[in-house]
Amino acid sequence: MVLNPLITVLIPCHSTQYLQDALESIAIQTLQKDLFEVLVIVDRVDPDSVKEILSDFEFQSRVLNSPEPGIVAALNFGLNNTSSELIARMDEDDVMTARRLEMQKKFLDSNPDYAAVGGQLELINDATKTIGFSNYPLSLQTKSFKAIKQSPLPHPGTMFRRGLVLELGGYRDFLPEDWDLWVRINEHWK
């Protein structure tokens, strides 16, 4: 059991259709299992069905009911219901590569002046066939909102420092909520 996990994989869940695949990708992470937990915030989904799916996995996990509908409420509830230093974001219909948590933790450990790190995405269809790749910027060189013409980080592929996001007031109901967060982070940190 993870008493004080360093990383929380935060998953807002409004469907269980692909949740099994998402959790399987977490189960094969190269990062030690005692360093992370999975926190699923259910939004209009039966928590017992999520708990049943999670019972197949050996990593530490929790399921909480979002107090209000919507991704922003679920994300903020998750941020406020963990003590982990780092948050790895993922949606219930995403999968991660086996080294994602290890690589992102290593980057943030080696770069304490960074608040968040992302990565590129391999886009897949329902049959898990590759249909394309993302092209996110490798870094941001400015602190100007006008310089950010698209979301600079893929939300379900990021890891960030929980305390810094809470300092900013967490997520806001300003769509898209992730872009808004990255712009606010970029005003203060890398």
Side-chain angles (χ1 to χ4, degrees):
M1 177 180 223
V2 180
L3 297 176
N4 294 306
L6 176 66
I7 299 168
T8 294
V9 180
L10 179 56
I11 305 174
C13 182
H14 66 276
S15 168
T16 59
Q17 182 176 358
Y18 301 106
L19 184 59
Q20 181 80 28
D21 294 334
L23 297 172
E24 286 174 3
S25 76
I26 296 170
I28 63 166
Q29 289 300 297
T30 56
L31 186 70
Q32 294 172 224
K33 303 292 185 270
D34 63 344
L35 293 180
F36 69 88
E37 70 166 345
V38 174
L39 177 56
V40 180
I41 307 297
V42 295
D43 175 12
R44 298 165 279 184
V45 173
D46 176 29
D48 290 333
S49 65
V50 173
K51 288 176 185 174
E52 184 176 329
I53 295 169
L54 277 163
S55 70
D56 292 338
F57 299 95
E58 295 184 11
F59 48 72
Q60 176 68 29
S61 63
R62 296 184 290 144
V63 177
L64 299 175
N65 286 310
S66 183
E68 300 174 37
I71 191 169
V72 170
L75 291 171
N76 284 330
F77 188 67
L79 289 177
N80 288 306
N81 280 280
T82 187
S83 60
S84 296
E85 177 186 332
L86 301 173
I87 301 294
R89 270 287 292 115
M90 184 173 176
D91 291 326
E92 88 280 340
D93 61 349
D94 296 317
V95 292
M96 62 172 78
T97 60
R99 293 190 56 222
R100 176 188 161 194
L101 296 180
E102 177 188 356
M103 291 172 64
Q104 289 182 328
K105 176 191 177 301
K106 183 178 180 179
F107 178 85
L108 290 173
D109 287 349
S110 299
N111 296 279
D113 53 332
Y114 277 76
V117 62
Q120 299 301 332
L121 303 178
E122 179 179 352
L123 309 173
I124 58 174
N125 63 16
D126 288 346
T128 67
K129 180 181 177 202
T130 300
I131 57 173
F133 296 91
S134 66
N135 188 23
Y136 285 91
L138 298 180
S139 65
L140 293 178
Q141 301 300 322
T142 180
K143 300 209 178 291
S144 168
F145 173 78
K146 292 178 182 177
I148 300 176
K149 304 214 182 310
Q150 69 178 39
S151 182
L153 296 172
H155 198 200
T158 59
M159 183 180 285
F160 57 82
R161 299 184 195 281
R162 177 180 159 270
L164 299 182
V165 170
L166 289 175
E167 273 184 46
L168 294 175
Y171 288 90
R172 299 189 301 194
D173 259 330
F174 181 86
L175 295 176
E177 76 286 336
D178 58 324
W179 193 345
D180 171 63
L181 180 62
W182 310 142
V183 169
R184 290 183 292 133
I185 284 175
N186 193 48
E187 291 172 354
H188 303 281
W189 304 287
K190 294 180 182 178

